[in-house]
Amino acid sequence: NGIVVRINHTELQWLGYSAEELIGRMKLTELMTPASRTLFDDVFPRFMQRGFVQDVEFEMVRKDGTVFPVLLNASALRDGNGEYLMSRATVYDITERKAAEAKIQRLSQLYVALSQCSQAIVRCANQEELFAQICRDAVQFGGAKLAWIGLVDESGKWVKPVAANGVGVEYVDGIRISVDAGEAAGRGPTGIAIREKRPFWCKDFMTDPATVPWQAHAARFGLGASAALPFYRDGVAIGAFTLYAHQV
């Protein structure tokens, strides 16, 4: 019936449960994410038929609700008549491996985006075309959720969006950004990047103190992290390229 009958100390530490909370009380699937339960429902019949499964990846859920990836190998234990008794499984925590794979994937995407942007610089006939293409490349090839470019207006105080691409471009239409440190709207990532001539990395957009003026608006669009990169003309910062990721 899938109920846990034995579990070792290592996995108890991973999951944050005591043995008494699990053994004889909880099913294996209760320790999985909904997507992994669906996968398990597909794998289990094959396991029953073949008597083993190898290298199946699941996501398990700790007692505190956090999720971590595991790799499962399992074999069936049967009696002398071949009747199924129980399964014996070895579970590997592959958090570090998955993080390394994700990092490699992100870097690969960024290198492709960089190459595309370099080509755009050569091919585009004017600034408007170039800015639009770079925003598209950041989303299509770089994996950004949203990207936009803003230029400092004639007053030298406000940043005016001139190009945008991605999911939630409406977010850009509803923001006011200044480069004046005396304005609350000037103390955010883009304003700081232009004023101080340095990249501003925001790992968690919804909790960073610098993004408070825009958090309520950003919540509608699922923005997780951002990067604001200043760019220059003749050594003067004239605007910024701002990108967003869907996750922290």
Side-chain angles (χ1 to χ4, degrees):
N1 57 17
I3 292 177
V4 176
V5 296
R6 191 172 185 176
I7 188 167
N8 67 19
H9 181 67
T10 299
E11 194 163 13
L12 289 173
Q13 285 187 313
W14 290 351
L15 294 166
Y17 287 97
S18 67
E20 291 74 21
E21 290 175 300
L22 293 182
I23 294 175
R25 293 176 178 271
M26 292 185 68
K27 291 187 175 183
L28 178 63
T29 51
E30 293 179 77
L31 302 170
M32 297 178 179
T33 61
S36 288
R37 290 175 198 162
T38 300
L39 176 60
F40 183 83
D41 289 340
D42 176 62
V43 168
F44 191 70
R46 289 188 279 123
F47 170 68
M48 291 290 288
Q49 181 179 17
R50 297 166 55 190
F52 68 93
V53 292
Q54 290 182 308
D55 296 340
V56 180
E57 292 186 12
F58 292 102
E59 287 186 323
M60 301 196 76
V61 183
R62 299 184 180 92
K63 186 177 180 179
D64 64 8
T66 57
V67 174
F68 66 104
V70 299
L71 186 71
L72 173 70
N73 290 311
S75 58
L77 302 181
R78 303 179 185 276
D79 64 17
N81 298 319
E83 293 294 325
Y84 177 81
L85 295 176
M86 66 177 70
S87 67
R88 178 171 54 200
T90 303
V91 183
Y92 303 90
D93 181 350
I94 56 173
T95 301
E96 291 185 6
R97 192 190 84 183
K98 299 297 285 187
E101 290 175 354
K103 182 177 181 180
I104 292 170
Q105 177 66 18
R106 287 196 301 271
L107 288 173
S108 297
Q109 289 178 312
L110 289 173
Y111 283 128
V112 172
L114 180 61
S115 174
Q116 292 293 323
C117 289
S118 296
Q119 292 181 43
I121 291 171
V122 174
R123 295 174 180 172
C124 291
N126 54 60
Q127 178 175 284
E128 181 180 4
E129 182 184 353
L130 174 64
F131 287 172
Q133 185 63 51
I134 286 176
C135 289
R136 280 196 297 271
D137 290 343
V139 173
Q140 183 177 351
F141 299 102
K145 177 185 177 74
L146 171 65
W148 66 279
I149 289 175
L151 297 178
V152 179
D153 67 8
E154 294 178 356
S155 72
K157 183 176 179 180
W158 297 97
V159 180
K160 178 183 178 182
V162 295
N165 194 274
V167 178
V169 290
E170 301 86 356
Y171 169 76
V172 179
D173 297 332
I175 57 175
R176 293 180 75 250
I177 294 177
S178 173
V179 294
D180 184 352
E183 297 271 357
R187 296 191 290 271
T190 301
I192 291 173
I194 296 172
R195 184 173 59 254
E196 299 184 7
K197 296 184 178 181
R198 65 179 177 90
F200 190 100
W201 309 97
C202 177
K203 294 185 178 181
D204 187 346
F205 193 89
M206 298 306 296
T207 63
D208 194 312
T211 63
V212 169
W214 303 276
Q215 286 174 5
H217 185 50
R220 298 169 47 205
F221 300 95
L223 304 183
S226 72
L229 313 175
F231 60 91
Y232 312 89
R233 178 179 291 138
D234 297 327
V236 177
I238 63 168
F241 182 29
T242 302
L243 307 96
Y244 302 87
H246 72 279
Q247 61 188 8
V248 174

